[in-house]
Amino acid sequence: MTWSLPEPMLTVAVESPVLPARWAAEPKWDGYRAQLAVYAGGRVLLRSRRGTDMTASFPEIGAAALAQLPEDTGLDGELVVWERDRLAFERLQQRLARRGAPATQAAREWPTHFVAFDLVHRGDDLTGWPYARRRAAPEALFAERGLTAPFTLCPSTTDPALAREWLSWTAAGVEGLCFKRLDEPYRGGVRSWRKYKVRVTTEAVIGAVTGSLTAPRTLLLGRYDPAGRLRYVGRSTTLSRAAGRAVTDQLAPPRGAHPWTGWTFSAGWGTQRTLDAVLVKPEVVMEVGVDVARDSAGRWRHPARPHRLRADVDVAQVPRFGE
């Protein structure tokens, strides 16, 4: 092995979905960032953004890389799993810890695809090339080698209208857009690409808090399902002092049984730690901003941003669970 993958180039969040002039846009997938290398002698490396070796967890990617890619090739992209008409991030999470026979079985149940968006090495280091030239390189690789599943070439455009159209794919698991300057080289570890994530404003019922009733830190939010059960949909970001005081004035302890009595709530993706939650009477509605990423159960994958309490909204008017 005479070369190594560069550090991943990173993104900085932006608030505008407008594609700037002299930049390209790509869909932002609800997946797991990954780099893939095929070295001489049949060695394959699939690693995460933080450098974790994931090769053994996704054997179908390694096998396809050896079968379809030439030696001395390095790709940057996204691992995704397609399930029930949308991308299923939680299946990737479940597969990360599996090795050997369990990983092989998981590959049959929840096969992954590698969505390639950059070619960083092909016989030589390509990171010094500007994006426009690098973009042509994976297009040529896919055409020359006739690459098929699990490999997919990520779309790219300089057309603002087409980029806006991609934002309508959120139901299938597109989280937003990634913007890349046409004349910029691949700069490992640098936050120079831009990321716009689609966010929607909606309402949810406050069912519990972390912290205390007098000093809440985050809100645990729910929605009622068609059967009238309050289902947990996600947690808020940390409340500001002003927001915490406003919420405190509206919260009350539950009277009698609570629909979440006996429940435990995870502190976040990839952790077994649970939250120390304080149940509250589920009658206060909060307007929140959430991105479009959900798990297969319909829960929001990322924290919601509290906007304002909705004293004018009855809990019965809050959208049903899964909407």
Side-chain angles (χ1 to χ4, degrees), residues 74-77 116-120 131 134-135 138 180 186 193:
L75 290 165
D76 195 357
F117 54 66
D118 219 314
L119 185 62
V120 295
Y131 172 83
R134 287 201 324 278
R135 174 62 197 186
K180 302 179 180 182
Y186 189 101
W193 291 340

Side-chain angles (χ1 to χ4, degrees), residues 42-102:
R43 177 173 174 252
V44 175
L45 173 65
L46 180 70
R47 76 178 191 186
S48 73
R49 181 174 71 85
R50 299 186 183 278
T52 302
D53 188 341
M54 304 185 295
T55 315
S57 296
F58 302 96
E60 72 274 33
I61 300 297
L66 288 175
Q68 298 189 47
L69 295 176
E71 293 183 345
D72 291 331
T73 297
L75 290 165
D76 195 357
E78 197 94 6
L79 288 176
V80 299
V81 170
W82 185 264
E83 184 182 48
R84 292 204 298 262
D85 299 326
R86 66 169 290 121
L87 300 179
F89 182 84
E90 66 273 19
R91 298 306 185 197
L92 289 170
Q93 292 285 94
Q94 293 166 7
R95 292 195 55 183
L96 279 174
R98 302 190 182 192
R99 302 288 191 276

Side-chain angles (χ1 to χ4, degrees), residues 291-315:
D291 70 22
V292 296
R294 300 188 187 191
D295 64 17
S296 60
R299 297 175 298 233
W300 301 323
R301 276 210 303 109
H302 300 294
R305 298 177 185 173
H307 286 177
R308 59 185 175 125
L309 293 171
R310 294 297 304 271
D312 58 328
V313 175
D314 185 85
V315 293

Side-chain angles (χ1 to χ4, degrees), residues 30 86 89-91 94 221-223 231-235 260 263-266 269 290-304 321-323:
D30 188 11
R86 66 169 290 121
F89 182 84
E90 66 273 19
R91 298 306 185 197
Q94 293 166 7
L221 304 167
R223 283 178 166 176
R231 303 284 295 275
Y232 175 63
V233 293
R235 185 159 62 114
W260 292 350
W263 288 27
T264 58
F265 303 90
S266 172
W269 286 91
V290 296
D291 70 22
V292 296
R294 300 188 187 191
D295 64 17
S296 60
R299 297 175 298 233
W300 301 323
R301 276 210 303 109
H302 300 294
F321 180 79
E323 295 179 349

Side-chain angles (χ1 to χ4, degrees), residues 152-166:
T152 302
L153 181 62
C154 182
S156 174
T157 187
T158 56
D159 180 358
L162 180 55
R164 285 195 301 271
E165 181 182 333
W166 289 341

Side-chain angles (χ1 to χ4, degrees), residues 1 62 108 191 209 219 264 267 286 306 319:
M1 182 178 69
R108 289 192 289 266
R191 292 189 178 276
V209 301
L219 310 175
T264 58
M286 172 67 78

